């Protein structure tokens, strides 16, 4: 069964506690649970991780091609700042989909640019937690060549 790594960056552990008008009311654990259900239906295995530390995210990205068939990443604020994440992502040989809960293009100008996007095969933003499930749908289609 293809394994998909879902990597979440800084402060996403705070989801559901503040700023519901921007990020919704779901916690990251809620999103993880929904992804597990969707992954099972698609014949995928999903592993969900979150870190506030750039180096740990780099380590996970570096190992992704060896241990997983695809990568979904919401790098949080590091999306807009981190050349280190971009360099790590450019060495990934499996499909990469970038997800943001909010529509970063409707927000402050500093959120309009993402280093992650330069290395992503696809980008989903503004659809809340559903974006992660849609990313799984896209990965299933990419890996099997079949649409649902
Ligand atoms: O929309 C997204 O998914 C973001 O990646 C979320 C990041 C933000 O820096 C990006 O520009 C867009 C922030 C995640 C932290 O979210 C919080 C949630 C609740 C309370 C405080 C922060």
């Amino acid at each position: 069964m293809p394994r998909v790594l879902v990597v979440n960056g800084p402060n996403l552990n705070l989801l559901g506690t503040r700023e519901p008008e921007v990020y919704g009311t779901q916690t990251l654990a809620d999103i993880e649970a929904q992804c597990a259900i969707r992954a099972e239906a698609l014949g995928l295995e999903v592993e969900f991780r979150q870190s506030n530390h750039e180096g740990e995210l780099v380590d996970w990205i570096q190992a992704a091609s060896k241990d997983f068939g695809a990568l979904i990443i919401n790098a949080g604020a590091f999306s807009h700042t981190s050349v280190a994440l971009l360099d790590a992502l450019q060495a990934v040989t499996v499909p990469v989909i970038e997800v943001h809960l909010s529509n970063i293009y409707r927000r402050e100008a500093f959120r309009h640019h993402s280093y992650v996007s330069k290395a992503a095969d696809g980008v989903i933003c503004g659809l809340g937690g559903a974006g992660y499930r849609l990313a799984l749908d896209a990965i299933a289609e990419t890996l099997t060549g079949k649409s649902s």
Side-chain angles (χ1 to χ4, degrees), residues 9-19 22-23 74-80 99-104 107 110-111 132:
N11 297 309
L12 284 159
N13 55 313
L14 298 177
L15 277 185
T17 63
R18 285 190 286 134
E19 301 191 60
V22 182
Y23 298 118
N74 181 353
F78 288 149
S79 313
H80 317 302
V99 170
H100 294 283
L101 296 156
S102 61
N103 179 355
I104 57 175
R107 302 185 63 193
F110 66 83
R111 295 186 205 272
Y132 289 76

Side-chain angles (χ1 to χ4, degrees), residues 80-101:
H80 317 302
T81 63
S82 180
V83 177
L85 288 190
L86 170 59
D87 288 345
L89 285 163
Q90 281 180 328
V92 172
T93 56
V94 296
V96 176
I97 300 192
E98 176 181 16
V99 170
H100 294 283
L101 296 156

